[in-house]
Structures are given as C-alpha cells and as structure tokens.
Amino acid sequence: MKKQKIPGLSLVIIQNNHIVYGQGYGYSNIEHKIPVTLETMFQSGSMGKQFVAMAIMILVEREDIELDTPIIEYIDDAPKEWKHITVRHLLTHTAGTTDYPDDFNYREDITEDEMFELIKTIPLDFKPGKQYSYSNLGYITLGVLIHRITGEFYGDFLEKNIFQPLGMKTARVISESDIVLNRASGYTLEDGKIKNQEWVAPSLNTFADGALYLNMYDMVKWDTGLNSKKLLKHQTSFDEMWSSVTLNDNTTYPYGFGWEIDETVDGMHVVKHSGTWQGFETMIIRVLKAK
C-alpha cells in the first residue's frame, strides 16, 4: 500500500467456505477518514463479468439458451455480420467484438438500447473463434441477451437468481443516486498524487461489462455458492466455465466464461479475474484443485 500509494483495501482469505483471514486497511474515504472494513462496498470493475457468465449458465441449464447457438437466434436485430457469433464466443472474448471506441463520450448518459445500437455499428476485428481479444462490448451484449431472453434487466436477474439465493445481501448494480451504506470512494494516482476518480455518466455504471457493488461478505457468499449446487445443478456447467477456450485452429487460450485460467501453478487448477474501473482495483483468485 505504501509503495503504490493505495488509500485503502479489503482482503479476505477463504478456506472451506469460511474466512480464515479478513482485514480492512487504510481508508475508504480519505477526505472523511473512514476506515475500510469488511463491510466496505467497492466497485467490481470487470471482476463482475463472472456474475454475468453465471447468469448465462443458469439460462443454459434451464434450456433457454444454448452455448453454441448463434446469438442472432436470440437477438433478431443483431447485424448479419454476426451470424457466426455464438453465446460461447461472447463469454470467452473470441467473438471479434471490440472495446469502447476511442471517441466514446464517457460523460454522456446512454441507455442499454442506445449502447447496443452503437455496438452493432462497430466492425468485427476478426472472424469469430479465430483468436482471443478482451471485449467489454461483448459482455454488454450478453447483458442485452439476458434482457431479451428473460424480459428483465440483467441486474434484476442477478438479484433474483444469484444474489438472493446465495444471501449476498448487499451486492447490487452500481447507483450514484441510491443511498449505499459503506460505499467507498475511488481514487487515481496522477503524478504521484492521489486524486478523486474521474466522473462518468451514471448509466455507464449499469452495463453488464462489470458494474457491481460488492463487499467482502458478499464475496464469501459467492465463493460458498460456487462450491455448491445452489445455482448450477451440473458439474459439467462449472467445468465449462473454468476451462480454457478452444479456438478455430484447435489451440487453446486460458480464459473460460468470465474467468481467467491460471496455468502457471504446477499441479493446481486456479481461476481468477481482476477488475479496474474508476479508481478501483479488484481481484479474485480461486484454487479449485490443490497439489
């Protein structure tokens, strides 16, 4: 924290569904000198993508979605150029979709429908399945897919089908207008000085590319849920999520469904994901199989 000038952080180590170490460090708000605790609410950044992936897998088990079906079967106004993009491609960042355009205005409010209209105008970078290229727009599209299939905003679907069943009482989509207890402030480092996070339009913090508030107790409930069959009934569903994607040329890339596959630790099956957004950094690391 001293070296990187981190104002505050929360850390938990979980083993067998229990916290073996948990501690808050520093401040969640520098100006008011509010200490970080395990109840402090942080923005998820892209770590939130794993919850969207779980929502998709819930719909797969309900037979509302098939992983290898082209998304144009579910989203009838998708561009013709997307005819070979499957749900699996979007989950694994192999669809050819890109990131926010260089000239994108982060300070202008935009609805999910308007954002999707913009996404549809952006050419694919490569043929679906050819390679891996991280795409926030691909996960926003998954949020649109959830909406089209269920008739619900993806955040409401997460609340009913993930957060409530697991007892994640404070997990939620970001809102600047709502009163959110224990909300942390985001900070950036500019020329060695800590500054408040840059402001972005509130609607951008509602899309499915990673826009959640979570605290450590939520994450313990999430980890416990992943060790159970509360959300998914079949082990094969978890295996799909936590396996490297196979590309068109039969090579693999170490990314599953909203999870990076860490292949650097001999004899261990490790999955993880980070997030960076608006002055927040997040990381989850799960050891699925130890030596």
Side-chain angles (χ1 to χ4, degrees):
M1 289 177 68
K2 183 177 181 181
K3 182 178 180 180
Q4 297 186 32
K5 298 189 177 180
I6 298 171
L9 65 82
S10 188
L11 170 70
V12 158
I13 300 172
I14 308 166
Q15 186 174 26
N16 299 325
N17 301 333
H18 296 288
I19 297 175
V20 295
Y21 183 85
Q23 184 68 48
Y25 300 88
Y27 295 113
S28 65
N29 183 291
I30 297 174
E31 291 160 320
H32 296 288
K33 292 188 176 180
I34 300 172
V36 173
T37 68
L38 299 187
E39 289 90 358
T40 299
M41 299 291 285
F42 292 95
Q43 291 188 22
S44 70
S46 287
M47 191 183 72
K49 287 182 170 68
Q50 62 199 247
F51 295 92
V52 176
M54 175 60 79
I56 293 293
M57 291 307 293
I58 289 171
L59 293 172
V60 168
E61 286 204 347
R62 292 178 184 175
E63 299 184 348
D64 291 328
I65 288 176
E66 291 185 357
L67 289 171
D68 296 311
T69 294
I71 60 168
I72 58 173
E73 297 292 326
Y74 306 117
I75 303 176
D76 56 12
D77 59 331
K80 292 180 180 178
E81 291 76 15
W82 291 14
K83 63 183 179 180
H84 296 302
I85 295 178
T86 64
V87 178
R88 186 186 301 273
H89 287 140
L90 291 174
L91 286 167
T92 56
H93 300 290
T94 58
T97 51
T98 60
D99 213 334
Y100 291 88
D102 291 339
D103 60 352
F104 186 78
N105 185 358
Y106 289 90
R107 293 174 178 260
E108 182 179 338
D109 265 315
I110 183 171
T111 66
E112 182 183 72
D113 286 341
E114 290 168 339
M115 188 68 203
F116 187 53
E117 288 301 314
L118 172 62
I119 292 171
K120 290 191 293 185
T121 67
I122 301 173
L124 298 180
D125 252 5
F126 51 84
K127 181 180 178 181
K130 180 182 179 182
Q131 65 189 68
Y132 167 94
S133 182
Y134 197 86
S135 173
N136 284 305
L137 302 189
Y139 265 74
I140 294 174
T141 302
L142 287 173
V144 173
L145 174 60
I146 292 169
H147 204 158
R148 298 290 180 92
I149 293 293
T150 67
E152 292 182 287
F153 170 58
Y154 90 94
D156 294 334
F157 186 86
L158 296 186
E159 173 65 26
K160 294 176 185 176
N161 295 277
I162 297 177
F163 301 156
Q164 288 183 10
L166 295 186
M168 298 172 66
K169 296 180 180 179
T170 47
R172 54 163 300 158
V173 170
I174 294 170
S175 169
E176 291 192 13
S177 59
D178 288 356
I179 303 300
V180 179
L181 298 180
N182 303 307
R183 185 200 315 244
S185 299
Y187 298 99
T188 59
L189 200 61
E190 297 179 16
D191 298 324
K193 294 183 178 180
I194 295 174
K195 300 282 187 179
N196 284 305
Q197 65 185 24
E198 286 193 14
W199 186 85
V200 301
S203 63
L204 295 185
N205 278 328
T206 63
F207 296 149
D209 55 341
L212 301 178
Y213 276 137
L214 300 159
N215 67 23
M216 281 304 178
Y217 291 117
D218 293 322
M219 294 307 295
V220 173
K221 296 289 187 181
W222 172 235
D223 184 73
T224 301
L226 293 175
N227 291 330
S228 74
K229 296 292 196 297
K230 279 189 176 181
L231 300 181
L232 299 176
K233 305 304 180 187
H234 306 297
Q235 182 59 41
T236 52
S237 297
F238 290 103
D239 293 342
E240 290 255 37
M241 284 200 305
W242 296 326
S243 296
S244 296
V245 60
T246 300
L247 304 175
N248 292 347
D249 62 2
N250 286 324
T251 61
T252 61
Y253 190 89
Y255 196 94
F257 300 169
W259 291 89
E260 301 169 32
I261 316 302
D262 191 336
E263 300 174 335
T264 63
V265 188
D266 289 341
M268 301 176 75
H269 187 190
V270 177
V271 294
K272 63 184 182 180
H273 211 290
S274 60
T276 302
W277 179 241
Q278 268 205 302
F280 292 91
E281 295 271 353
T282 57
M283 172 63 80
I284 180 171
I285 303 170
R286 302 190 76 238
V287 179
L288 303 181
K289 180 182 177 183
K291 289 185 178 180

